[in-house]
Amino acid sequence: MSGRTAIVVGAGTGVGAAVSLALSRAGAGVVLAARPDPALTALAAGIVAAGGQAVAAPVDVGDPSAVRRLVERTLGVFGRLDIAFNQVHARALVVAMTYQIAAMRVTGGGHIVNLVPAAQDGVAELTRTVARAHAGSVVRIDAVSQAPYGSTEEVAAAVVSLCSAAGPA
């Protein structure tokens, strides 16, 4: 994944932090997006200390203009957006994917993976709907659920595998 850039929305803890670390270890530059929290800054510092590229980006994903600025910042720092992992509720997911898809189309394509929460809030159906709408485009959209996996690291490995697979990205 060297030379690729990822946004991880919900990167502060748990699955999002594990996905951030896994993508970084695979060689991607990572923009860590979550509510302001010292854990977010510490995660970015840890990735950089290990030789990776990471930027902490405190953001309120409920604010569409903040999500737009997050994507713009990613493009400003890394020049591209290849991967997005979203761990957010369905309403915020609509906004996140709208800006992510637009950026990926401009930079040549990409792959979005959404985490389906245990308590369904429409993320799975929304992901299916948007994936169908963009089928055959330069943006691939998938979902993962933590249910079949035993740990956050296993979910992270599945995300890296999906994003490493051949496709339009």
Side-chain angles (χ1 to χ4, degrees):
M1 291 193 174
S2 181
R4 296 174 78 191
T5 300
I7 289 178
V8 178
V9 179
T13 59
V15 174
V19 168
S20 300
L21 290 167
L23 289 169
S24 175
R25 287 184 193 122
V30 185
V31 176
L32 311 172
R35 293 185 186 274
D37 187 321
L40 188 67
T41 305
L43 179 59
I47 289 171
V48 170
Q53 294 181 307
V55 174
V59 64
D60 174 4
V61 295
D63 177 2
S65 63
V67 175
R68 177 185 47 78
R69 287 190 305 272
L70 168 67
V71 172
E72 289 172 350
R73 180 176 181 195
T74 301
L75 296 174
V77 172
F78 289 102
R80 59 185 303 116
L81 176 58
D82 305 289
I83 299 164
F85 175 79
N86 297 303
Q87 179 178 261
V88 295
H89 58 80
R91 277 180 280 135
L93 184 59
V94 170
V95 173
M97 286 196 300
T98 298
Y99 289 112
Q100 293 162 354
I101 289 167
M104 288 175 178
R105 284 185 165 180
V106 169
T107 61
H111 196 152
I112 296 172
V113 180
N114 299 322
L115 181 69
V116 177
Q120 269 296 340
D121 71 347
V123 170
E125 185 56 36
L126 177 61
T127 300
R128 275 191 292 276
T129 300
V130 176
R132 280 188 212 116
H134 292 280
S137 78
V138 296
V139 179
R140 188 168 137 193
I141 303 165
D142 287 303
V144 295
S145 171
Q146 192 164 0
Y149 303 100
S151 70
T152 56
E153 288 75 20
E154 289 173 323
V155 174
V159 172
V160 170
S161 178
L162 276 171
C163 295
S164 298

